[in-house]
Amino acid sequence: MKILKWGFIGCGDVAEKKSGPAFNEVAGSSVVAVMSRSEERARSYAVRHGVPRWYTDAQQLIDDPDVNAVYVATPPASHATFAIMAMKAGKPVYVEKPLAASYEDCARINNVSERTGVPCFVAFYRRYLPYFLKVKQIIDEGQIGRVMNVQVRFAVPTRQLDYTHPEELPWRLQPDIAGGGYFYDMAPHQLDLLQMFFGVILDAQGLCANRGGYYQAEDTVAACFRFENGLLGSGMWCFVAHESASEDCIEIIGDRGKLLFSVFDFAPIRLYNSEGIQQLEVPNPPYVQFPIIKSVCEHLQGLGICSCTSLSATPVNWAMDRILGKI
């Protein structure tokens, strides 16, 4: 078995809670180095998690001869740069979602991966969670019949940090760093799941607006899209809603029933068909990225195949850029 020795570029909240510990839980995998531009953060992460080395320069981490795989956990604008640096050094990459801050950058990553033969994987970890695999099973078994339409509805209130210090906005609200506003951060998971269920989105259109006036990025988005199988879908995202309007729901309408589930809250799956109404609770593992990280590691160890590659993730960026009018 190939022993994987991971180097982390970025050690913020995602690496702290959702993904980082999972790399040490997989057989033949361990974290040997971390990097952050903040010396204090890099050192703190390394000490708290028992990581042998820490850096403040990404190139130094990539050049570390003990590192043979790289996890990029930085904001999207730097994903392409770091992923390409790692692949050119011959080191496989696991990149946080979305793959990049634009469809164009995704294409650059794919070109380098193809040219070097070094794989790049993307952290669309919901593809591997039991909750969403159950949703897919219900659809594939025809429990709601033939799927006729899909609707995404997502609304949340404004967060205090979105407007209290306009000179220090969260990076997710800075389009030059994130690719857009909260839509570019939240919608990738929703759109990736729908493409896992129904195939690639071949057409997408949208309108976006800033209704709240708290920041410059869009805070409200409406979209419609068409999948390769002809299925039509629509979506509504509002990040300045009153708390009474809060919603996290995807509704899949069939000719013999319907299915409702959440993407972020993991509320019970609701199934409506001729057998009545069912509510299904499906637990997920403590580290939500563990299943996909295990799949990535096994792929690199020659023990399996991980399908969540940069190529498979790119249609998400294409759809988002179409909806926001970026392309």
Side-chain angles (χ1 to χ4, degrees):
M1 176 190 295
K2 179 179 180 180
I3 302 300
L4 296 171
K5 298 181 179 180
W6 291 91
F8 288 5
I9 299 178
C11 48
D13 288 345
V14 171
E16 188 76 44
K17 301 173 184 177
K18 294 182 178 180
S19 61
F23 286 89
N24 289 320
E25 297 290 322
V26 179
S29 168
S30 64
V31 183
V32 299
V34 295
M35 172 269 166
S36 172
R37 289 180 300 175
S38 165
E39 179 178 337
E40 180 181 356
R41 177 175 289 182
R43 182 192 296 113
S44 173
Y45 190 97
V47 170
R48 286 182 293 104
H49 294 277
V51 179
R53 293 182 297 285
W54 54 270
Y55 298 97
T56 57
D57 181 86
Q59 190 65 62
Q60 289 182 340
L61 178 138
I62 291 170
D63 290 341
D64 185 329
D66 205 29
V67 171
N68 60 12
V70 175
Y71 171 38
V72 177
T74 59
S78 58
H79 286 184
T81 298
F82 293 139
I84 288 171
M85 286 168 59
M87 288 187 291
K88 285 185 174 180
K91 301 185 179 184
V93 192
Y94 177 64
V95 184
E96 269 304 323
K97 65 82 207 164
L99 173 58
S102 69
Y103 170 68
E104 182 181 1
D105 275 352
C106 293
R108 290 175 53 220
I109 291 171
N110 290 328
N111 286 339
V112 173
S113 179
E114 181 178 7
R115 189 169 68 249
T116 61
V118 179
C120 176
F121 304 96
V122 185
F124 279 125
Y125 61 87
R126 282 171 168 80
R127 293 190 197 182
Y128 291 79
L129 289 179
Y131 181 96
F132 300 107
L133 293 176
K134 183 63 176 179
V135 171
K136 188 176 188 304
Q137 178 188 349
I138 291 170
I139 296 168
D140 292 347
E141 290 178 352
Q143 294 187 45
I144 60 171
R146 183 186 179 199
V147 176
M148 309 304 285
N149 190 260
V150 177
Q151 299 173 7
V152 180
R153 300 190 296 273
F154 187 80
V156 290
T158 308
R159 301 190 304 170
Q160 188 174 5
L161 57 80
D162 295 343
Y163 58 84
T164 49
H165 297 288
E167 73 284 355
E168 297 180 4
L169 281 176
W171 65 260
R172 290 176 174 84
L173 292 177
Q174 301 179 50
D176 59 329
I177 297 176
Y182 284 128
F183 172 79
Y184 221 84
D185 183 56
M186 307 293 280
H189 280 303
Q190 297 159 319
L191 295 174
D192 182 70
L193 283 169
L194 291 180
Q195 292 191 94
M196 180 179 81
F197 299 153
F198 306 117
V200 173
I201 292 174
L202 295 182
D203 190 16
Q205 300 177 37
L207 295 171
C208 58
N210 183 297
R211 300 291 293 163
Y214 297 108
Y215 41 80
Q216 293 299 311
E218 75 287 337
D219 60 25
T220 307
V221 177
C224 57
F225 33 87
R226 177 174 56 86
F227 297 89
E228 60 182 319
N229 65 359
L231 175 67
L232 298 181
S234 61
M236 179 284 295
W237 293 263
C238 181
F239 301 97
V240 288
H242 186 264
E243 59 183 15
S244 64
S246 294
E247 187 172 18
D248 170 16
C249 179
I250 293 183
E251 182 172 358
I252 301 175
I253 301 169
D255 61 2
R256 292 198 291 112
K258 69 177 181 178
L259 180 65
L260 289 86
F261 63 97
S262 68
V263 173
F264 303 100
D265 294 341
F266 301 115
I269 299 166
R270 288 173 286 165
L271 171 62
Y272 300 75
N273 57 21
S274 59
E275 297 181 6
I277 303 173
Q278 299 180 58
Q279 291 205 80
L280 309 171
E281 295 193 23
V282 183
N284 288 316
Y287 301 125
V288 291
Q289 290 207 28
F290 175 78
I292 188 173
I293 289 171
K294 182 173 184 288
S295 179
V296 168
C297 290
E298 290 178 348
H299 183 118
L300 297 175
Q301 292 167 336
L303 302 175
I305 298 293
C306 178
S307 62
C308 201
T309 63
S310 60
L311 197 61
S312 77
T314 295
V316 170
N317 282 78
W318 180 87
M320 291 195 300
D321 282 5
R322 288 279 296 173
I323 290 168
L324 295 181
K326 293 170 64 174
I327 56 175

